[in-house]
Amino acid sequence: YDAINEQIDEVAETSLMSGFKPVSRVAEFTALTKIKETSGDYTDVNAVFSDILKDFKYLLKNAEELKADADKADNYLISAKMDDFIATFPSSPDGYLTRASHYVYQRKKLSDVGTEQQLLSRAEADLASAQKLFGDNVAEGYYNHAKLIYGVSAADSTLTAPGWTMDRAADWIARAIAADDRPLYRQLEADIAFFRGDYAKAAADYALVNQGPGASASSFYMAAKTEEQLEDPDTTRMFILMDSAITRATGVNPTDAATYIMDAVDMRMRRGQFAEAVKLYDRYYALTGGEVLPRFYYYREQAKFRANDMDGALSDIRLALEGDPNNALYLAEEGSIYLRKQDFAKARQSLERCIAQAPDFSAGHRLLGLCLVRSGKKAEGCRAFERAKELGDPVVERLMKQHCQ
């Protein structure tokens, strides 16, 4: 009772020092707290202990979340106070893990607290303390150790301390799997292997994860990305895995599903599978309910153009221009489509509008020159080619040799 009262006073003082206004009356405490007052009709000491334990776990969880929020806001006063609070719960590993993460990720901002090596040493000490508190569940401690190293090593290439490399993360997760081979641990091992460029090992681990209840949209997505990196990738398998990732994410996290779809589009485009890329663009459009920007239509137009669907390409570039009517790139694309359709009058109109919007756009002059040459206006076309050359167009000289000599 006395300890809690003292902590309430300390939290109130810290709040005031940080510019907040803490409540001070019991009625205000009661209105804000999520811990509910009991009836007091306890007859079993075990029931009393159970309820009190739940309340203290709740307090600890909130302290850890508040510390994380304070770290993000660079409020070291509140963060330090939560450190003190967490220290009163020494039987939980979570506080030590949170503080270790804080030391590592915020080490550059904590230069007034200690050197990088000192902060990393403190983090290692906290990880060791957390490991002891996991008790018989040693694998979970090893896993959390590996996860922290992997996270910071992947995010910060400047960290080269011996105990904080991706190789060390691999060592820790191997120990976790040796103690308890769980899908969650296998996925982290796969993520680490992928980062290290060991794609065969990553593929094997992701396959194990995807065969069991731990499979997720993310694990299927990473399996597809890993397959792509193999020396002799099975593209059929790669796209099946990607489709599984998209399907799983669609109902759970549409944002991830959209990301996966666009990644699959890139895969298809790089392999010249333009019609399949168009289908994926259509799937993206359906997923977003048609809430897309003009550039979406431009990108889908590119896929349709390469799939030789000129009518579809023209429809999409017109939609792009409806949203951004003065975009020189879109106007050049419209002109290019009309050129393929041999509608030279409309091609010229689009390309002249393009040049009016962007006089120094070399591709616009090159395409206009091609339009003029093909419509029988060789002299005008060659002048347009010359202007494109002056602007540094990389391919116009070949057209000039072909049409202007």
Side-chain angles (χ1 to χ4, degrees):
Y1 177 85
D2 291 338
I4 289 292
N5 271 343
E6 184 176 345
Q7 287 172 343
I8 289 172
D9 288 340
E10 290 175 357
V11 168
E13 291 172 5
T14 304
S15 298
L16 284 169
M17 293 169 66
S18 296
F20 300 106
K21 184 179 179 182
V23 297
S24 58
R25 295 184 297 113
V26 173
E28 292 173 309
F29 291 157
T30 304
L32 289 173
T33 185
K34 296 295 190 299
I35 297 177
K36 300 303 178 185
E37 189 174 7
T38 67
S39 63
D41 297 327
Y42 288 109
T43 58
D44 183 356
V45 68
N46 290 324
V48 175
F49 178 81
S50 177
D51 280 358
I52 291 175
L53 181 60
K54 289 178 184 176
D55 291 344
F56 274 91
K57 284 184 175 179
Y58 171 80
L59 291 172
L60 176 60
K61 179 175 181 291
N62 276 266
E64 291 167 351
E65 290 176 351
L66 180 55
K67 175 178 173 56
D69 288 341
D71 289 342
K72 291 177 183 176
D74 292 337
N75 190 322
Y76 299 119
L77 187 64
I78 291 178
S79 178
K81 182 54 61 181
M82 290 305 101
D83 272 340
D84 295 341
F85 188 75
I86 290 168
T88 66
F89 295 84
S91 62
S92 170
D94 295 341
Y96 290 108
L97 293 174
T98 299
R99 190 166 62 183
S101 177
H102 174 63
Y103 285 144
V104 176
Y105 280 104
Q106 302 295 327
R107 66 190 188 283
K108 293 179 181 177
K109 294 181 180 179
L110 296 173
S111 57
D112 58 329
V113 177
T115 66
E116 176 174 277
Q117 188 52 55
Q118 288 172 333
L119 292 167
L120 293 176
S121 296
R122 291 181 190 180
E124 288 171 348
D126 276 347
L127 287 169
S129 296
Q131 183 69 51
K132 293 176 183 177
L133 294 173
F134 277 112
D136 293 338
N137 191 10
V138 294
E140 192 68 9
Y142 299 151
Y143 164 74
N144 279 280
H145 203 142
K147 184 170 70 170
L148 179 57
I149 296 175
Y150 167 72
V152 71
S153 184
D156 185 356
S157 60
T158 67
L159 181 57
T160 58
W164 295 89
T165 64
M166 202 60 74
D167 288 345
R168 289 297 292 142
D171 292 341
W172 281 109
I173 198 60
R175 293 178 68 179
I177 291 169
D180 185 6
D181 194 347
R182 295 173 56 188
L184 181 65
Y185 303 165
R186 284 286 181 179
Q187 175 141 5
L188 180 57
E189 184 179 55
D191 292 342
I192 293 168
F194 184 92
F195 194 92
R196 297 169 78 201
D198 189 350
Y199 301 118
K201 182 175 182 57
D205 276 336
Y206 286 130
L208 286 173
V209 173
N210 289 335
Q211 290 168 10
S216 65
S218 174
S219 64
F220 276 102
Y221 171 72
M222 287 305 301
K225 297 294 288 181
T226 302
E227 186 70 37
E228 186 180 30
Q229 296 298 324
L230 294 176
E231 190 172 327
D232 184 21
D234 182 339
T235 55
T236 300
R237 173 179 170 77
M238 179 181 74
F239 284 117
I240 289 173
L241 289 166
M242 186 63 84
D243 187 69
S244 294
I246 295 167
T247 300
R248 284 173 174 264
T250 297
V252 179
N253 191 332
T255 300
D256 282 351
T259 300
Y260 299 162
I261 289 172
M262 297 311 294
D263 214 345
V265 166
D266 288 341
M267 289 177 172
R268 294 289 188 184
M269 293 291 285
R270 288 198 300 271
R271 289 164 177 77
Q273 299 172 358
F274 306 122
E276 294 301 320
V278 171
K279 292 176 184 177
L280 286 164
Y281 275 123
D282 292 344
R283 193 171 179 180
Y284 180 94
Y285 184 87
L287 180 68
T288 61
E291 295 292 325
V292 295
L293 297 173
R295 64 173 174 265
F296 167 82
Y297 296 111
Y298 165 71
Y299 291 133
R300 190 170 66 177
E301 172 269 331
Q302 292 277 287
K304 288 180 178 179
F305 187 96
R306 295 178 188 181
N308 205 32
D309 176 10
M310 291 302 118
D311 290 337
L314 183 59
S315 176
D316 269 350
I317 205 62
R318 284 175 175 170
L319 288 170
L321 283 164
E322 282 181 14
D324 191 357
N326 296 321
N327 188 300
L329 180 59
Y330 299 169
L331 289 165
E333 281 297 316
E334 185 181 50
S336 182
I337 295 166
Y338 279 128
L339 274 173
R340 285 285 294 270
K341 292 170 72 69
Q342 297 189 359
D343 190 338
F344 301 124
K346 289 183 178 178
R348 180 172 183 174
Q349 186 179 46
S350 297
L351 294 166
E352 286 179 343
R353 284 181 60 203
C354 166
I355 292 169
Q357 292 298 323
D360 294 335
F361 185 27
S362 66
H365 291 279
R366 168 169 43 82
L367 288 168
L368 178 59
L370 191 59
C371 173
L372 291 167
V373 166
R374 287 183 179 177
S375 57
K377 298 178 174 62
K378 182 177 178 179
E380 290 181 63
C382 289
R383 284 196 294 273
F385 285 153
E386 188 61 41
R387 180 57 180 151
K389 181 180 178 180
E390 291 172 2
L391 293 169
D393 190 89
V395 297
V396 73
E397 284 196 33
R398 177 178 59 81
L399 293 174
M400 293 176 74
K401 290 178 181 178
Q402 183 179 351
H403 297 289
C404 302
Q405 290 181 351

